[in-house]
Structure formats: structure tokens, C-alpha cells
């Protein structure tokens, strides 16, 4: 039984799985989208999202942590130089998985995994959001508008 075991082994030994995910993550960072099976895409999403979160803060320690997982200095440089500034304001959810159908040869479920901020089709219709924060009180300009007085009721108790 596999109670409490959350990692998808993908039918591979540990070293093979880690190497495969590192290579797929490097390809995803380099090309911004890749086609793979749905199971591998879901495993890759869990693998690469913490690395993108680490890359938002460019320190030597974070670079070394990411390099230990990716094993490619070119992918690490691309991640910290190009990807991190683009996703800096996003709190998470850096990748998107889109199912494509079945592969012709073996009928495997295929999917495309991509970095969200690099898709021009989905981001074309949306204007750039103006960043606003809602802290503290409202400005005085909005409070000066007079409110309509409440209608008075005549009850028999007042007389």
C-alpha cells in the first residue's frame, strides 16, 4: 500500500526521475512551453514552481539551491535573469497545464505545460493591471460627499 506517499514515481528509479525532471525543467525555462504526458507535466509542476519562487529573491544561497536541483548553469541564469522579474508580482501558479488529447503511437494522455506570463494569447486581451494597495483609511475626498439623510418616521410613541 502507498499510504501517505505523495510523489508520483513515474515508473522510474529515484536518480532517473530526478534527472528527467531536471532536464524537463531546464527545457521549460529555456523554451517557455513543452509538450509531455499529463503525469509528467503534473510532476514537473510540483518540481519547478518552488524553484521559480526561490528565483524571485536573487541571492547566492538561492542560486545554489536552484542549481542543485536544475544542474544547468544556463537554465539558472535564464531563470534568475528573465523569468523571475516577469513573475515577481505573482504570488504563485507560475505554470499552466493544457491537455492536448492522446498520442497516436501509444494513446498516452498528452499535455502542454507552459509558463503563464509568457503566453501572449491569454495575456493579449487583458490590460496591464494598475497595482493598488488597500491599507489604512480612505482618502478624505471620498468622505466629503454628503450622505442622504434617513427618512424620519412618525410613530405614536413620540407624541
Amino acid at each position: 500500500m502507498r499510504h501517505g506517499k505523495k510523489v508520483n514515481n513515474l515508473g522510474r528509479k529515484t536518480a532517473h526521475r530526478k534527472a528527467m525532471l531536471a532536464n524537463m525543467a531546464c527545457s521549460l525555462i529555456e523554451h517557455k512551453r513543452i509538450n509531455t504526458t499529463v503525469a509528467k507535466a503534473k510532476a514537473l509542476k510540483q518540481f519547478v514552481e518552488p524553484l521559480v519562487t526561490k528565483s524571485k529573491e536573487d541571492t547566492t544561497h538561492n542560486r545554489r539551491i536552484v542549481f542543485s536541483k536544475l544542474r544547468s548553469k544556463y537554465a539558472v541564469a535564464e531563470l534568475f535573469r528573465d523569468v523571475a522579474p516577469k513573475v515577481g508580482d505573482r504570488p504563485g501558479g507560475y505554470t499552466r497545464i493544457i491537455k492536448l488529447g492522446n498520442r497516436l503511437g501509444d494513446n498516452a494522455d498528452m499535455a502542454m505545460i507552459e509558463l503563464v506570463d509568457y503566453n501572449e494569447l491569454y495575456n493579449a486581451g487583458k490590460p496591464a493591471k494598475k497595482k493598488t494597495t488597500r491599507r489604512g483609511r480612505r482618502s478624505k475626498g471620498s468622505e466629503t460627499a454628503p450622505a442622504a439623510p434617513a427618512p424620519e418616521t412618525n410613530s405614536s410613541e413620540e407624541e
Side-chain angles (χ1 to χ4, degrees), residues 77-146:
E78 174 93 9
L79 180 65
F80 278 86
R81 184 184 57 235
D82 296 334
V83 176
K86 199 155 187 175
V87 300
D89 58 338
R90 184 178 289 275
Y94 311 110
T95 57
R96 173 186 298 128
I97 297 175
I98 300 171
K99 294 186 179 177
L100 298 176
N102 294 341
R103 188 161 50 194
L104 285 177
D106 59 356
N107 210 31
D109 234 1
M110 297 299 288
M112 176 178 65
I113 182 167
E114 64 182 2
L115 293 173
V116 171
D117 290 322
Y118 284 92
N119 190 331
E120 293 81 24
L121 296 176
Y122 286 131
N123 298 336
K126 299 177 185 172
K129 282 171 90 176
K130 183 180 169 189
K131 202 170 184 183
T132 59
T133 56
R134 306 259 308 162
R135 291 190 202 113
R137 292 197 230 144
R138 286 192 267 161
S139 63
K140 290 186 178 184
S142 63
E143 291 180 2
T144 57

Side-chain angles (χ1 to χ4, degrees), residues 32-129:
K32 310 305 186 247
R33 73 173 51 112
I34 57 173
N35 291 339
T36 183
T37 62
V38 173
K40 286 182 190 173
K42 288 179 180 178
L44 180 61
K45 184 176 183 119
Q46 288 181 337
F47 180 83
V48 80
E49 295 227 354
L51 301 181
V52 177
T53 303
K54 285 277 187 203
S55 72
K56 288 163 80 170
E57 185 181 353
D58 191 2
T59 63
T60 306
H61 183 60
N62 283 349
R63 279 184 180 262
R64 286 179 176 164
I65 291 171
V66 171
F67 179 75
S68 72
K69 301 283 186 192
L70 286 183
R71 309 174 190 176
S72 168
K73 64 180 181 181
Y74 303 110
V76 172
E78 174 93 9
L79 180 65
F80 278 86
R81 184 184 57 235
D82 296 334
V83 176
K86 199 155 187 175
V87 300
D89 58 338
R90 184 178 289 275
Y94 311 110
T95 57
R96 173 186 298 128
I97 297 175
I98 300 171
K99 294 186 179 177
L100 298 176
N102 294 341
R103 188 161 50 194
L104 285 177
D106 59 356
N107 210 31
D109 234 1
M110 297 299 288
M112 176 178 65
I113 182 167
E114 64 182 2
L115 293 173
V116 171
D117 290 322
Y118 284 92
N119 190 331
E120 293 81 24
L121 296 176
Y122 286 131
N123 298 336
K126 299 177 185 172
K129 282 171 90 176

